[in-house]
């Protein structure tokens, strides 16, 4: 099953020429899950050949502008493009009021339904039960209410060993074998063993998106063992005091989080515009957690 992450924006609040504000796209078996929607996100989608019309789910972490100022333009463009399919939106208290006020004063009437669910910034909760994944909120520690999101793949089926399957095996038996069920004859004897004709199902994958937050041990248990952790890293060590003041993290703190929770890989982003290059972010983070990578705009990573 495809489970891919595309980085659309890796910068923080103040724009710089080569970095855009936060936005990411998860593509899971053909469904699009947009995480945050900074200014100009719809342009990033087009540039990365991601069709906005395929969007079904949008998740907004908090109401600082660099994480949602692109949302109303995107929703409006979807309407102008003739969208009629429902869309699901998850975000903090106040977001729905912001959207409806703007549409009211622009006399915008949507031709599609938006199902809005308010997130609780204080308690983890499952907010979506999708056929392929579940999505939970992760309470973060920022200057205003802020939540991360945990995408947990559901158990997958066993994989058929095609070379071993008898040519005359009825196709209807394939599903049983993939479900781990043996094929029995009329006497209850095993004809085809799931153990023999299939491989174990791959381990479910987990992606954690930890938007703006300071170093936060309270979330460690929830994100322990994730395959890929995105953690903001706004500052380097030279500005750790500023990072603490504004409830952000340094690259080293993001790496310490990844090490403490035994993440498979760490991706860092939300780089402050104070830094013109990001090489040192990788150096400082990898000194603590070697499997660290930069959030590179336009790059797609398999979870």
């Amino acid at each position: 099953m495809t489970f891919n992450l595309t980085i659309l924006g890796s910068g923080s609040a103040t724009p710089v020429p080569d970095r855009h504000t936060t936005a990411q796209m998860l593509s899971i078996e053909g469904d699009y899950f947009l995480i945050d929607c900074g200014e100009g996100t719809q342009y990033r989608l087009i540039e990365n050949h991601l069709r906005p019309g395929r969007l079904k789910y949008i998740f907004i972490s908090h109401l600082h502008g660099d994480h949602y100022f692109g949302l109303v333009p995107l929703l409006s463009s979807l309407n102008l493009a003739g969208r009629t399919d429902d869309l699901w939106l998850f975000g903090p208290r106040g977001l729905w009021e912001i959207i409806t006020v703007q549409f009211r004063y622009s006399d915008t009437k949507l031709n599609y339904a938006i199902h809005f669910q308010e997130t609780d910034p204080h308690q983890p909760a499952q907010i979506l039960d999708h056929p392929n994944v579940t999505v939970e909120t992760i309470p973060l520690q920022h200057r205003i209410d802020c939540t991360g999101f945990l995408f947990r793949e559901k158990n997958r089926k066993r994989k058929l060993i095609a070379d071993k399957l008898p040519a005359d095996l009825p196709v209807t038996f394939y599903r049983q074998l993939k479900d781990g069920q043996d094929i029995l004859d009329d006497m209850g004897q095993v004809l085809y063993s799931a153990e023999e004709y299939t491989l174990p199902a791959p381990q479910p994958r987990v992606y954690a998106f930890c938007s703006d937050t300071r170093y936060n041990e309270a979330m460690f248990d929830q994100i322990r063992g994730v395959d890929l952790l995105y953690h903001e890293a706004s500052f380097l060590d030279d500005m750790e005091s500023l990072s603490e003041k504004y409830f952000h993290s340094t690259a080293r703190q993001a790496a310490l989080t990844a090490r403490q929770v035994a993440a498979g890989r760490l991706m860092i982003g939300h780089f402050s515009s104070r830094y013109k290059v990001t090489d040192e972010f990788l150096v400082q983070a990898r000194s603590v957690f070697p499997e660290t990578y930069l959030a590179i705009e336009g790059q797609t990573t398999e979870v």
Side-chain angles (χ1 to χ4, degrees):
M1 185 176 80
T2 56
F3 196 159
N4 297 329
L5 176 71
T6 301
I7 302 300
L8 303 173
S10 64
S12 56
T14 305
V16 294
D18 59 344
R19 292 200 295 269
H20 303 94
T21 49
T22 301
Q24 300 182 2
M25 180 72 86
L26 267 180
S27 176
I28 303 177
E29 203 64 3
D31 283 339
Y32 281 178
F33 300 73
L34 179 64
I35 311 169
D36 276 348
C37 190
E39 183 179 353
T41 291
Q42 61 178 324
Y43 294 103
R44 309 285 85 75
L45 293 172
I46 294 169
E47 290 168 357
N48 286 279
H49 308 290
L50 297 167
R51 293 166 52 193
R54 290 179 56 186
L55 260 176
K56 292 186 69 173
Y57 308 96
I58 301 176
F59 304 83
I60 302 297
S61 62
H62 65 298
L63 292 182
H64 280 156
D66 55 318
H67 293 262
Y68 84 97
F69 275 174
L71 180 59
V72 169
L74 173 60
L75 297 177
S76 179
S77 292
L78 292 175
N79 194 53
L80 292 172
R83 184 188 181 100
T84 57
D85 293 341
D86 290 8
L87 185 144
W88 282 260
L89 173 64
F90 305 85
R93 181 176 61 86
L95 178 60
W96 188 244
E97 180 183 0
I98 291 169
I99 293 171
T100 53
V101 165
Q102 293 196 54
F103 282 161
R104 181 184 309 130
Y105 283 98
S106 65
D107 193 30
T108 299
K109 297 176 176 60
L110 297 182
N111 296 310
Y112 62 93
I114 298 178
H115 304 278
F116 176 69
Q117 182 172 331
E118 186 177 299
T119 52
D120 182 347
H122 306 297
Q123 296 292 332
Q126 181 175 302
I127 56 174
L128 179 64
D129 186 2
H130 180 271
N132 295 316
V133 293
T134 59
V135 184
E136 304 169 16
T137 54
I138 307 169
L140 302 176
Q141 294 182 3
H142 193 39
R143 289 191 297 120
I144 64 173
D145 289 344
C146 186
T147 61
F149 301 100
L150 186 73
F151 296 80
R152 188 184 303 277
E153 186 179 31
K154 292 186 175 180
N155 289 329
R156 290 184 277 172
K157 295 182 182 296
R158 297 176 68 90
K159 183 177 177 60
L160 295 170
I161 305 174
D163 293 343
K164 294 189 69 173
L165 293 174
D168 60 349
L169 183 68
V171 175
T172 54
F173 288 169
Y174 289 4
R175 179 174 295 180
Q176 280 182 253
L177 291 171
K178 291 171 70 173
D179 286 339
Q181 300 174 13
D182 296 335
I183 307 300
L184 309 178
D185 63 17
D186 293 339
M187 303 299 292
Q189 300 299 310
V190 176
L191 287 175
Y192 305 104
S193 165
E195 187 71 26
E196 181 180 357
Y197 289 96
T198 65
L199 298 172
Q203 190 70 18
R205 294 164 288 183
V206 186
Y207 173 59
F209 171 84
C210 295
S211 175
D212 298 17
T213 184
R214 64 181 178 183
Y215 182 76
N216 177 21
E217 294 183 355
M219 69 181 182
F220 282 7
D221 285 343
Q222 188 180 6
I223 65 172
R224 197 171 304 282
V226 299
D227 295 277
L228 179 61
L229 167 65
Y230 171 84
H231 195 292
E232 74 120 293
S234 299
F235 298 99
L236 296 173
D237 289 347
D238 63 337
M239 294 188 181
E240 184 173 354
S241 60
L242 194 63
S243 179
E244 181 70 20
K245 177 181 178 180
Y246 291 111
F247 285 73
H248 283 295
S249 296
T250 65
R252 194 179 303 275
Q253 289 170 333
L256 181 59
T257 296
R259 188 175 72 184
Q260 294 289 81
V261 304
R265 289 169 292 155
L266 169 66
M267 182 180 290
I268 53 176
H270 200 266
F271 308 116
S272 170
S273 60
R274 294 171 176 83
Y275 304 97
K276 302 311 176 188
V277 294
T278 55
D279 297 357
E280 188 61 24
F281 284 86
L282 200 59
V283 171
Q284 292 189 8
R286 283 185 171 174
S287 70
V288 177
F289 188 76
E291 283 296 311
T292 300
Y293 302 88
L294 297 178
I296 304 295
E297 297 187 13
Q299 185 177 89
T300 297
T301 302
E302 184 175 356
V303 176

